[in-house]
């Protein structure tokens, strides 16, 4: 099909929000100099197509003539189109999120428990193992607490081994609802260095690795490359995401947006940001965080993670 | 109650860490130096400085293995020094628990040790905090009684066996409900510190933590695996290099615990009473601590009666007030009138009154404005009961005796240590 020499031809199919009409378009792009990262330009084109149609979901990319397109799409900042960030606020989303909230507080589930939903609302569960790594004190445990919707520890405390946490997160991706079951693995940096069994245990069958750095600690940002090379020997094609913590202290940030951009570009990894603070608290004895407010806070982060993991699976089984 | 805890190297006096509790300004470097200097000065003159008192505070020193000096400064609450030393011992053994004895007694690199010791901060802070638990105070682990215990024991045994271990326990709301015989064979301090460790860590679905058992295995680490079965219930197992966390979770958890799900759910309903509803207690009782000094178990409740406390004729005491009264009562009685519960390696302190007496005190009581407390010292049991002020003083003794008899009828609590 590639009748454009040295170019890229992409077939795209879009559908609107209700899936009532399918629009397919053939985008072709003449690239004069192949060396100038053709996939970036193709991505730009797709982005432009997507923007021209209001509220579209990218359903399927039918054909591509460049393997690099996979990468381009996975690392594309327009990934956000597969998932709807405010879905948890819609009436449909509320039904699903009611299973992870109790009295406006986030529920935590034991290993023998699951969120209970009525039979007509039981989505398929997708389990992913996510490992968090980064310099000591960067906020790994705090990030997990924030995502889980429990109280964020007020001061840093070294984690003496591995802590794992299970988080259930319903999300609507490409018009299908899934229950994501994230299994976060958090290991203290000192313990990781002291005992050799910890890193292999964390990396075994891992689906995603989150590399954490702190906006207020430049050395932690410099350490990212080290962390990534340490992991890369055993990663088995895991999704890599960089996470910047303490984004609430952006005014004191030691990292410029230019550095972030360069890093994102060089390593082809997305960078997410978290603010590990609890804004609103309930008026109960434990002063637990307000579940609804916390959902709003972490929805973009978790939706993005869900979407990328889902997309990775689609590529793995050849659906994309 | 405000407190400072300072940890230094014994030979050089290099500060390893300082923990501060309460709203007080942190110790200046010079103050830390002075606290250590006094002790060093005494040591150089062949004197062992143990403790001293100021108008408001008490200070205690203790050197461990000629390597670590611990100093505690705490508000004076009239308690005996026994409790200060117990606190220091617990702090030292918490350090051993997470770092290992080798690294502590032969310090090669102070900076590295400092970094390693950071892992203990949370545990040490928990020791300084005032919590609803009595384990660290009584050196007997907090337990939880429910009618489901014998059934859960079977599930636990099979689970622990499948995980290739003999050490395991089931914790309900951070109190031990059932444990294997081997687990109960650990010393009182080990039992208490392990429970405390789990409580001090952030909540998690599962954990894999390397621990050095302070008395049984201070130099070789074991892995402590914990699994949150349902909210508030955790299964723990101590094991060697295998099996991995994933293996236990994926292969054993569902098989061994899924059939017990209903028992676990009904078990947790007993909280916060911590004793089965079938055990009836006198309505005048507001709370109690019962200690089995033989097998290091401690049963405590601040909700002894299922009926609404507002309907009872006495003044309502808040939960924290009840705990505070009982803790203070315990501290003024034990070490002065009653002998404290000791772990095997503890040196006896001869300065306490009870050591000087030729006979043992059996009972003691105090009456406050809005409460009364009665303590009874039996062979293997110590019971501390908090009563409402309406209970006549002459009835305290018989009611306490009756309560003790009712509670020890339960086999679980009475179980003798096999060794």
């Amino acid at each position: 099909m590639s009748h454009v020499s040295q170019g890229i031809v992409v077939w795209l199919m879009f559908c609107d929000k209700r899936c009532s009409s399918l629009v397919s378009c053939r985008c072709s792009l003449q690239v004069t100099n192949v060396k100038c990262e053709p996939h970036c330009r193709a991505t730009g084109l797709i982005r432009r197509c997507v923007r021209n149609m209001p509220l579209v979901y990218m359903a399927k990319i039918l054909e591509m003539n460049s393997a690099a397109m996979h990468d381009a799409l996975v690392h594309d900042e327009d990934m956000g189109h597969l998932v709807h960030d405010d879905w948890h606020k819609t009436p449909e989303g509320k039904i699903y999120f009611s299973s992870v909230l109790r009295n406006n507080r986030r529920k935590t589930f034991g290993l023998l428990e699951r969120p209970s939903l009525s039979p007509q609302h039981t989505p398929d569960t997708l389990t992913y193992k996510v490992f968090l790594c980064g310099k000591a004190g960067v906020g790994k445990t705090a990030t997990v607490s924030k995502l889980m919707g429990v109280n964020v520890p007020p001061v840093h405390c070294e984690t003496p081994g591995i802590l794992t946490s299970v988080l259930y997160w319903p999300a609507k991706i490409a018009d299908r609802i899934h229950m994501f079951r994230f299994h976060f693995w958090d290991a203290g940096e000192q313990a990781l260095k002291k005992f050799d069994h910890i890193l292999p245990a964390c990396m075994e069958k891992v689906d995603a690795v989150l590399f954490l750095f702190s906006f207020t600690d430049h050395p932690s940002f410099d350490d990212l490359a080290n962390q990534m090379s340490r992991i890369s020997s055993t990663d088995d094609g895991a999704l890599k995401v960089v996470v910047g913590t303490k984004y609430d202290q952006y005014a004191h940030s030691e990292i410029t947006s230019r550095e972030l951009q360069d890093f994102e570009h060089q390593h082809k990894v997305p960078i997410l940001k978290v603010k590990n603070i609890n804004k609103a608290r309930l008026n109960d004895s434990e002063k637990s965080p307000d579940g609804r407010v916390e959902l709003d806070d972490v929805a973009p982060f978790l939706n993005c993670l869900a979407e990328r993991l889902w997309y990775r699976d689609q590529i793995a089984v050849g659906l994309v | 109650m405000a407190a400072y805890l300072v940890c230094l190297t014994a030979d050089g006096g290099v500060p390893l860490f300082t923990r501060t509790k309460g709203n007080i300004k942190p110790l200046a470097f010079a103050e830390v130096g002075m606290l250590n200097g006094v002790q060093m000065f005494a040591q150089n003159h062949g004197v062992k400085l143990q403790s001293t008192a100021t108008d408001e505070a008490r200070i205690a020193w203790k050197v461990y293995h000629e390597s670590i000096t611990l100093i505690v400064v705490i508000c004076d609450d009239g308690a005996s020094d026994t409790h200060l030393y117990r606190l220091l011992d617990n702090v030292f053994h918490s350090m051993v628990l997470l770092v290992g004895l080798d690294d502590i007694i032969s310090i090669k690199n102070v900076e590295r040790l400092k970094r390693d010791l950071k892992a203990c901060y949370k545990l040490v802070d928990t020791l300084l905090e005032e919590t609803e638990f009595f384990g660290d105070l009584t050196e007997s682990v907090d337990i939880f009684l429910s009618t489901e215990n014998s059934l859960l024991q079977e599930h636990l045994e099979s689970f622990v066996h499948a995980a290739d271990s003999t050490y395991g326990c089931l914790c309900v709301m951070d109190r031990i409900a059932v444990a294997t015989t081997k687990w109960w064979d650990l010393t009182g301090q080990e039992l208490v510190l392990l429970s405390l460790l789990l409580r001090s860590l952030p909540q998690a679905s599962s954990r894999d933590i390397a621990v050095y058992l302070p008395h049984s295995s201070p130099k070789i680490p074991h892995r402590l695996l914990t699994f949150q079965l349902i909210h508030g219930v955790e299964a723990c197992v101590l094991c060697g290099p295998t099996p991995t966390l994933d293996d236990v979770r994926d292969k054993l958890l569902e098989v061994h615990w899924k059939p017990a799900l209903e028992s676990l759910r009904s078990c947790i309903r007993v909280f916060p009473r911590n004793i089965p509803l079938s055990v009836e207690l006198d309505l005048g009782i507001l709370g109690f601590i019962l200690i089995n000094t033989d097998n290091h178990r401690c049963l405590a409740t601040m909700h002894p009666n299922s009926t609404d406390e507002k309907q009872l004729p006495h003044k309502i005491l808040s939960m924290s007030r009840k705990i505070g009264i009982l803790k203070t009562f315990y501290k003024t009685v034990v070490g002065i009138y009653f002998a404290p519960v000791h772990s095997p390696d503890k040196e006896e302190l001869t300065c306490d009154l009870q050591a000087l007496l030729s006979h043992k005190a059996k009972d003691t009581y105090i009456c406050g404005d809005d409460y009364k407390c009665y303590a009874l010292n039996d062979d293997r049991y110590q019971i501390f009961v908090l009563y409402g002020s309406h209970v006549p003083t002459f009835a305290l003794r018989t009611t306490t005796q009756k309560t003790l008899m009712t509670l020890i009828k339960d086999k679980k609590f009475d179980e003798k240590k096999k060794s």
Side-chain angles (χ1 to χ4, degrees), chain B residues 149-407:
Chain B
N149 277 11
S150 50
L151 185 83
L152 293 174
Q153 181 85 36
E154 285 169 30
H155 288 279
L156 179 74
E157 302 271 353
S158 68
F159 170 69
V160 172
H161 181 74
D164 225 359
S165 170
T166 48
Y167 293 87
C169 75
L170 185 76
C171 294
V172 177
M173 300 313 271
D174 299 318
R175 294 159 177 88
I176 296 184
V178 291
T180 60
T181 324
K182 279 278 186 191
W183 188 279
W184 285 126
D185 283 347
L186 297 171
T187 65
Q189 194 167 39
E190 287 170 341
L191 290 172
V192 169
L193 290 180
L194 284 172
S195 289
L196 213 65
L197 174 66
L198 297 184
R199 214 162 66 221
S200 71
L201 292 169
Q203 217 188 49
S205 307
S206 63
R207 307 187 183 100
D208 181 343
I209 293 154
V211 291
Y212 298 82
L213 298 170
H215 306 289
S216 322
S217 166
K219 293 182 178 177
I220 298 158
H222 285 78
R223 287 162 64 229
L224 174 68
L225 307 185
T226 75
F227 304 91
Q228 190 188 40
L229 302 174
I230 59 171
H231 183 72
V233 181
E234 278 187 310
C236 312
V237 55
L238 262 181
C239 54
T242 54
T244 65
L245 191 64
D246 264 338
D247 278 349
V248 180
R249 201 195 48 236
D250 298 342
K251 293 176 191 150
L252 308 179
L253 219 57
E254 296 262 328
V255 182
H256 293 275
W257 289 109
K258 198 95 197 196
L261 196 56
E262 275 317 304
S263 306
L264 294 171
R265 290 213 170 108
S266 67
C267 184
I268 201 139
R269 274 178 228 128
V270 177
F271 183 79
R273 198 177 187 232
N274 304 343
I275 43 171
L277 290 171
S278 56
V279 181
E280 280 180 31
L281 296 170
D282 191 277
L283 287 179
I285 297 176
L286 307 185
F288 69 82
I289 323 172
L290 171 62
I291 301 151
N292 185 335
T293 54
D294 198 33
N295 61 16
H296 299 283
R297 292 177 207 193
C298 161
L299 178 67
T301 179
M302 298 302 128
H303 298 267
N305 292 302
S306 34
T307 33
D308 192 2
E309 281 198 6
K310 282 176 192 147
Q311 294 167 6
L312 299 174
H314 51 74
K315 205 178 147 196
I316 301 162
L317 298 178
S318 70
M319 175 79 168
S320 54
R321 179 93 204 286
K322 286 184 192 178
I323 296 169
I325 294 172
L326 270 173
K327 283 198 171 170
T328 315
F329 182 53
Y330 179 89
K331 283 198 204 170
T332 45
V333 170
V334 172
I336 298 175
Y337 306 115
F338 292 0
V341 186
H342 273 329
S343 271
D345 68 330
K346 290 258 175 78
E347 31 183 308
E348 286 291 327
L349 291 161
T350 46
C351 51
D352 290 334
L353 180 63
Q354 42 85 23
L356 301 173
L357 293 174
S358 55
H359 61 278
K360 271 189 187 166
K362 283 270 187 195
D363 300 69
T364 179
Y365 71 95
I366 50 165
C367 297
D369 283 345
D370 49 0
Y371 67 88
K372 290 176 185 178
C373 287
Y374 197 94
L376 201 147
N377 189 16
D378 198 354
D379 265 357
R380 293 160 52 203
Y381 304 104
Q382 291 178 348
I383 186 167
F384 301 82
V385 189
L386 174 66
Y387 290 97
S389 53
H390 68 286
V391 179
T393 309
F394 61 80
L396 296 180
R397 181 157 197 261
T398 42
T399 318
T400 310
Q401 279 172 336
K402 213 178 102 196
T403 310
L404 177 64
M405 291 328 270
T406 317
L407 289 167

Side-chain angles (χ1 to χ4, degrees), chain A residues 111-112 162 164 166 183 194, chain B residues 99 205-206 208 228-229 249:
Chain A
L111 292 164
L112 300 180
I162 306 174
T164 79
V166 174
H183 202 159
K194 194 169 171 183
Chain B
V99 180
S205 307
S206 63
D208 181 343
Q228 190 188 40
L229 302 174
R249 201 195 48 236

Side-chain angles (χ1 to χ4, degrees), chain B residues 30-76:
Chain B
E31 288 164 327
V32 174
M34 186 199 63
L35 279 170
N36 185 48
V38 181
Q39 192 262 139
M40 295 269 269
F41 178 80
Q43 205 179 329
N44 292 340
H45 290 77
V47 177
K48 190 177 171 195
L49 180 60
Q50 290 190 326
S51 68
T52 186
T54 67
D55 286 345
E56 290 164 349
R58 297 190 76 85
I59 309 171
W61 289 264
K62 198 161 175 186
V63 181
Y64 292 87
H65 298 272
E66 292 171 4
S67 167
I68 297 282
T69 306
L70 288 180
I71 307 169
V72 65
V73 184
I74 203 159
C75 279
D76 194 357

Side-chain angles (χ1 to χ4, degrees), chain A residues 109-121:
Chain A
F109 296 91
L111 292 164
L112 300 180
E113 295 171 308
R114 310 252 173 288
S116 57
L117 278 159
S118 58
Q120 68 265 37
H121 292 118

